[in-house]
């Protein structure tokens, strides 16, 4: 597997400060994609042991909230097979940090409820290691810059553990100020 780029100290792709790995390879080819250069599976550099270790080391400080996987498309079968042992190791090293994954495939496609080519022998285990799945293709007509952690309104931020427990998609709950776009006054009254 190749990666297009790695962003250290990323604050755009999940809550808190994160390390974000942008893998190469994507079959969606969404019009308006912000990272079309990463559609090519051969683009970028190999995601080798040294690179993986750099990512692990970057996540060590307490102020790093976790890891985000983007692309390209992390859930292409070729990428899933490479990411599974990496994410397993990440969760072993940092059990209290979160893993977010951005995929153009939907939960229903990845879990086999809707047939597609992304589901493979490692999909279920990889999904079980994620904390949040941002699912669905980017749709230019539904692009909305006011949305937090997603580009278009059709995309969902799914709490994977709660979704697995419920047997149906459960949205991740953002902090109240971001979810409602209102500030609590904490008992203070306006003058």
């Amino acid at each position: 597997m190749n990666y297009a780029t790695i962003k250290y100290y990323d604050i755009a792709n999940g809550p808190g400060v994160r390390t974000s790995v942008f893998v190469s390879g994507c079959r969606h080819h969404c019009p308006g994609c912000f990272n079309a250069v990463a559609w090519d599976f051969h683009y970028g550099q190999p995601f080798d042991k040294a690179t993986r270790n750099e990512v692990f080391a970057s996540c060590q400080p307490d102020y790093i909230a976790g890891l985000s996987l983007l692309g390209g498309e992390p859930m292409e079968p070729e990428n899933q097979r490479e990411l599974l042992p990496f994410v397993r190791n990440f969760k072993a090293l940092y059990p209290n940090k979160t893993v977010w994954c951005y995929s153009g495939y939907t939960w229903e496609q990845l879990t086999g409820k809707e047939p597609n080519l992304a589901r493979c022998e490692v999909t279920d285990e990889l999904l079980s290691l994620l904390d949040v799945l941002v699912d669905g293709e980017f749709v230019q007509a539904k692009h909305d810059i006011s949305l937090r952690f997603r580009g278009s309104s059709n995309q969902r931020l799914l709490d994977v553990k709660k979704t697995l427990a419920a047997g149906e998609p459960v949205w991740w709950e953002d902090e109240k100020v971001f979810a409602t776009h209102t500030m609590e006054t904490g008992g203070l009254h306006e003058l």
Side-chain angles (χ1 to χ4, degrees), residues 39 85 115 162:
W39 292 350
K162 289 180 180 178

Side-chain angles (χ1 to χ4, degrees), residues 13-76:
N13 296 299
V17 180
R18 315 179 69 75
T19 296
S20 294
V21 177
F22 292 76
V23 303
S24 295
C26 181
R27 293 183 175 92
H28 298 294
H29 298 191
C30 302
C33 175
F34 78 100
N35 201 16
V37 68
W39 292 350
D40 181 352
F41 283 86
H42 301 290
Y43 179 77
Q45 302 295 317
F47 194 62
D48 58 19
K49 185 176 182 179
T51 304
R52 291 190 302 269
N53 287 340
E54 285 177 24
V55 171
F56 291 147
S58 76
C59 294
Q60 187 173 11
D62 289 341
Y63 61 84
I64 300 296
L67 173 72
S68 293
L69 305 171
L70 305 95
E73 173 57 72
M75 298 307 282
E76 294 292 4

